[in-house]
Amino acid sequence: MESRSDHSASSRLLAGVVVLLCMCTAASGLSCDFYDDSCPDLDSIVQARVSAAMKAEARMGASLLRLHFHDCFVNGCDGSILLDGPNSEKLALPNLNSVRGYEVIDAIKADLEKACPGVVSCADVVAYAAKYGVLLSGGPDYDVRLGRKDGLVANQSGANNNLPSPFDSISVITQRFKDVGLNTKDVVVLSGAHTIGRSRCVLFSSRLANFSATNSVDPTLDSSLASSLQQLCRGGDGNQTAALDAGSADAFDNHYYQNLLARKGLLSSDQGLFSSPDGVNATKALVQAYSTNSQRFLCDFGDSMIKMGNIPPLNASAGQIRKKCSAVN
């Protein structure tokens, strides 16, 4: 079995091999060189903190990526997910006891406040940390557009109502992406983020028993995987976790799509891209294409991450640079 240190070394090697740098130009007031003069140590600070966090726990790369996703889908990419308080998005059902990595963002922000106080927004920290979560897992080195402001309010109801759910149909998920300016291709590409990370039993146990009037287990789930998941989740509180990409849990690759062809997608929303009626009509062909073309997936993923990172805040003009990510100034 590969040790954690061995994995970290192999991930860094793989990251060096993947040279699919998906370039970006200025858009929506953002640019790739926004902090080159005002905070030249930004890249090294973020890389060092994310690398240390992932050496301690490889899964943290996936957690930082998910944190960025859940931030951008609510109020736009404005760092609102980091705010504490009674309306905190942290307390929304899709995020509670699920979204992780806040302490890594706080550590990066603390380092940046020493190096270049009052300059880098928390929203940009989240976006940049996600980039390194991907890269240090072996994914593509895409450029991150920077220059976001931090939002002044959280939106718990927006998190509850607008974030795509693993229980949603592919058509509903596609509409949620469309609502923020993303298309069906982005649905398939960004779902590929599940090539790393883990999920709790509570999010997939409905596929394992009493699935329907005619099937105890979801018929689109491989029977051997179903058996192992039943054993994992049996008798627990729903918080046991399984790899989203069985057989390649910590490597950012196209194995996730190969799993879908083999009926080994963990979440209903994953397998639905290939097996559901909505998926057959709209997303199956892309799943098949990415399952056989790793380079296409990796570069398209970088492009879709840049696109997602451009989702504008609801009120960008009212933003600020927070001194502490969990509270407005």
Side-chain angles (χ1 to χ4, degrees):
M1 179 179 295
E2 185 183 50
S3 69
R4 182 172 292 159
S5 60
D6 289 338
H7 166 71
S8 298
S10 62
S11 291
R12 289 193 299 271
L13 176 60
L14 183 56
V17 172
V18 178
V19 291
L20 299 170
L21 182 61
C22 303
M23 302 300 292
C24 73
T25 55
S28 304
L30 307 179
S31 67
C32 302
D33 58 358
F34 190 84
Y35 296 112
D36 281 6
D37 295 327
S38 59
C39 194
D41 293 332
L42 170 63
D43 186 85
S44 60
I45 288 172
V46 175
Q47 181 177 0
R49 281 292 185 180
V50 175
S51 178
M54 290 179 64
K55 285 177 182 177
E57 182 188 16
R59 179 188 174 193
M60 188 53 70
S63 297
L64 293 170
L65 174 55
R66 187 164 180 256
L67 185 62
H68 182 38
F69 182 96
H70 280 225
D71 181 37
C72 289
F73 266 70
V74 182
N75 288 3
C77 306
D78 68 344
S80 60
I81 195 172
L82 306 173
L83 288 169
D84 289 334
N87 195 39
S88 175
E89 293 166 29
K90 296 177 181 179
L91 304 177
L93 290 176
N95 297 331
L96 186 63
N97 298 321
S98 177
V99 172
R100 311 164 69 246
Y102 299 113
E103 71 284 359
V104 180
I105 302 301
D106 288 341
I108 294 169
K109 179 62 173 175
D111 288 349
L112 290 171
E113 285 301 299
K114 293 176 184 177
C116 44
V119 171
V120 182
S121 68
C122 296
D124 279 344
V125 172
V126 171
Y128 217 75
K131 167 211 171 82
Y132 272 110
V134 171
L135 181 61
L136 296 177
S137 298
D141 185 7
Y142 61 91
D143 282 331
V144 179
R145 291 169 173 154
L146 301 166
R148 301 168 185 82
K149 293 288 184 68
D150 294 321
L152 303 181
V153 295
N155 186 355
Q156 189 176 125
S157 63
N160 280 322
N161 297 324
N162 300 336
L163 283 167
S165 163
F167 306 110
D168 286 339
S169 67
I170 299 304
S171 61
V172 168
I173 291 172
T174 301
Q175 183 60 51
R176 294 193 192 281
F177 273 64
K178 184 178 179 180
D179 290 342
V180 295
L182 302 176
N183 59 30
T184 301
K185 178 181 177 182
D186 297 315
V187 172
V188 181
V189 173
L190 293 176
S191 293
H194 287 175
T195 183
I196 53 175
R198 305 181 69 83
S199 182
R200 296 178 297 152
C201 286
V202 67
L203 297 179
F204 57 82
S205 58
S206 61
R207 304 182 70 198
L208 305 179
N210 303 314
F211 178 73
S212 70
T214 55
N215 293 285
S216 176
V217 176
D218 184 347
T220 68
L221 179 62
D222 173 76
S223 59
S224 62
L225 178 59
S227 296
S228 65
L229 294 174
Q230 287 169 338
Q231 184 175 357
L232 169 71
C233 298
R234 185 177 293 117
D237 62 0
N239 287 315
Q240 306 95 313
T241 63
L244 285 160
D245 183 359
S248 182
D250 294 326
F252 202 101
D253 54 26
N254 68 333
H255 190 263
Y256 163 85
Y257 299 103
Q258 296 169 8
N259 271 349
L260 300 188
L261 269 62
R263 297 188 299 122
K264 292 183 178 181
L266 183 65
L267 304 178
S268 176
S269 56
D270 290 328
Q271 193 59 50
L273 293 170
F274 183 78
S275 301
S276 71
D278 288 344
V280 169
N281 290 330
T283 57
K284 180 178 179 178
L286 271 174
V287 169
Q288 291 172 317
Y290 290 134
S291 73
T292 60
N293 192 330
S294 177
Q295 288 196 344
R296 178 181 175 184
F297 162 58
L298 292 172
C299 198
D300 284 357
F301 186 84
D303 290 340
S304 287
M305 285 296 291
I306 293 169
K307 189 176 176 182
M308 185 186 79
N310 287 340
I311 299 173
L314 294 179
N315 190 3
S317 62
Q320 62 180 207
I321 305 299
R322 286 186 223 138
K323 296 177 182 178
K324 184 178 181 181
C325 290
S326 60
V328 297
N329 296 340

